[in-house]
């Protein structure tokens, strides 16, 4: 009896010491970020964004996705490579980070946004809670923007693409060609493309229910469009809009998200997410990736760094009642 009492007192004392010694809140959910084209995972710009996020959530763990740990090679991998291979590498990379094991929020910048969506649909182990994309191309692009002066990778990629965006070679070696969706040549796109058609479940014979199941498991899908966007054509792609199919000499018209066949027939679960109020269509003022603190901070406050709620993630302190 006495021994038992001692044990109870000891356990309570330890519990009290634990409560006094540790902060009462569990750690905030970690974050994964994926940079955009012409950028790399540890560039000054990416470090600035990560610092801004840490200004909002002080101790948040952030992992910046890379294809290559060497900065130059990582930037080059935004132009050259096969997205199926890159995503397979990233899935291995994320699964190996212990801090991410219970899931994470994810922010994709520009093309990094649709790549993170591919991660969610194809892998999602560990799972993504909130997916936030800034100026991304969820319905592809129907124009390839010009290069900045002296951007050698861009010029190389452009020259290579001139030989034909929908050649099998380009579709497996040039990144932008893998999300180039030409509404003037939809049949060629549907026949040759294996990335965009996959993440949008566009081909009936290849439609995959796993992609949909993974995608609808998101807590929130936050899609940010830049009001003065000129790089992404059409800019509505950031909100799952696209140009309607047309002849080359006709003017383009936009199909907005809720009128897409993808949405109406719910090929990927976008409609289900939207009807549960989980799709947030936001606008930030500015040109492509002119990401101001005023735009970033409220979004990061609201959708990043939530406290983890699944049973495994609760703090270890549990007082047994028996
Ligand atoms: C669907 O996708 C999952 C996950 O990528 C894959 O394991 C599975 O083989 C795919 N199913 C079909 C029928 O292609």
């Amino acid at each position: 009896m006495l021994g038992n009492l001692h044990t109870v007192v000891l356990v309570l004392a330890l519990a009290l010491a634990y409560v006094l010694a540790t902060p009462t809140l569990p750690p905030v959910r970690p974050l994964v970020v994926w940079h955009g084209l012409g950028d790399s995972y540890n560039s000054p710009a990416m470090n600035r964004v990560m610092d801004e996020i840490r200004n909002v959530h002080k101790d948040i763990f952030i992992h910046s996705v890379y294809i290559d740990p060497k900065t130059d090679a990582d930037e080059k991998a935004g132009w050259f490579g096969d997205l199926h291979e890159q995503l397979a590498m990233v899935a291995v990379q994320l699964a190996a980070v212990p801090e991410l094991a219970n899931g994470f929020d994810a922010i994709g910048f520009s093309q990094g946004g649709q790549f993170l969506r591919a991660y969610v649909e194809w892998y999602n182990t560990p799972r993504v809670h909130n997916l936030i994309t800034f100026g991304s191309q969820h319905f592809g692009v129907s124009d390839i923007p010009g290069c900045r002066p002296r951007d050698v990778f861009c010029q190389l990629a452009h020259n290579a693409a001139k030989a034909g965006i929908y050649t099998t070679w380009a579709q497996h070696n040039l990144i932008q060609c893998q999300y180039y969706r030409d509404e003037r040549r939809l049949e060629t796109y549907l026949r040759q493309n294996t990335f965009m058609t996959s993440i949008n479940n566009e081909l009936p014979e290849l439609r995959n229910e796993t992609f949909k199941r993974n995608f609808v498991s998101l807590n929130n899908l936050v899609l940010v469009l830049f009001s003065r966007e000129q790089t992404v054509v059409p800019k509505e792609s950031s909100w799952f809009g696209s140009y309607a199919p047309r002849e080359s000499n006709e003017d383009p018209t936009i199909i907005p998200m809720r009128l897409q066949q993808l949405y109406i027939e719910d090929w990927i679960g976008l409609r289900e997410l939207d009807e549960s109020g989980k799709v947030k269509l936001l606008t930030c003022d500015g040109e492509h990736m002119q990401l101001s603190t005023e735009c970033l901070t409220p979004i990061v406050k609201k959708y990043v760094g939530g406290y983890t709620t699944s049973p495994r993630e609760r703090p270890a302190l549990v007082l047994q009642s028996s």
Side-chain angles (χ1 to χ4, degrees), residues 121-123 205-211 214:
E121 293 184 25
W122 294 350
Y123 298 97
E205 65 279 17
L206 295 179
R207 212 156 277 162
N208 188 317
E209 283 298 313
T210 305
F211 300 174
N214 287 340

Side-chain angles (χ1 to χ4, degrees), residues 121 201 208-217 265-269 272:
E121 293 184 25
N201 256 344
N208 188 317
E209 283 298 313
T210 305
F211 300 174
K212 184 171 177 176
R213 200 166 50 243
N214 287 340
F215 194 53
V216 296
S217 77
E265 296 175 6
D266 212 14
W267 299 339
I268 59 169
E272 192 176 328

Side-chain angles (χ1 to χ4, degrees), residues 103-117:
F104 53 88
D105 297 318
I107 298 185
F109 299 106
S110 195
Q111 67 180 12
Q114 63 263 31
F115 302 166
L116 280 169
R117 178 156 70 86

Side-chain angles (χ1 to χ4, degrees), residues 28 54 57-61:
V28 300
R54 288 190 198 97
H57 302 292
K58 195 160 68 66
D59 296 316
I60 192 169
F61 175 86

Side-chain angles (χ1 to χ4, degrees), residues 8 11 318-322:
V8 169
V11 166
V318 179
L319 287 174
Q320 299 290 344
S321 55
S322 59

Side-chain angles (χ1 to χ4, degrees), residues 85-125:
E85 287 170 17
Q86 293 193 354
L87 262 297
M89 280 175 49
V90 169
V92 171
Q93 180 181 117
L94 297 182
V97 180
E99 288 87 346
L100 302 178
N102 289 330
F104 53 88
D105 297 318
I107 298 185
F109 299 106
S110 195
Q111 67 180 12
Q114 63 263 31
F115 302 166
L116 280 169
R117 178 156 70 86
Y119 169 80
V120 171
E121 293 184 25
W122 294 350
Y123 298 97
N124 213 32
T125 314

Side-chain angles (χ1 to χ4, degrees), residues 44-76:
M46 281 301 282
N47 281 308
R48 207 162 46 238
V49 169
M50 290 189 270
D51 284 345
E52 289 206 30
I53 294 168
R54 288 190 198 97
N55 284 341
V56 179
H57 302 292
K58 195 160 68 66
D59 296 316
I60 192 169
F61 175 86
I62 307 179
H63 176 87
S64 188
V65 168
Y66 55 87
I67 301 300
D68 196 304
K70 291 192 293 297
T71 305
D72 248 31
D74 192 51
E75 184 180 333
K76 190 175 173 197

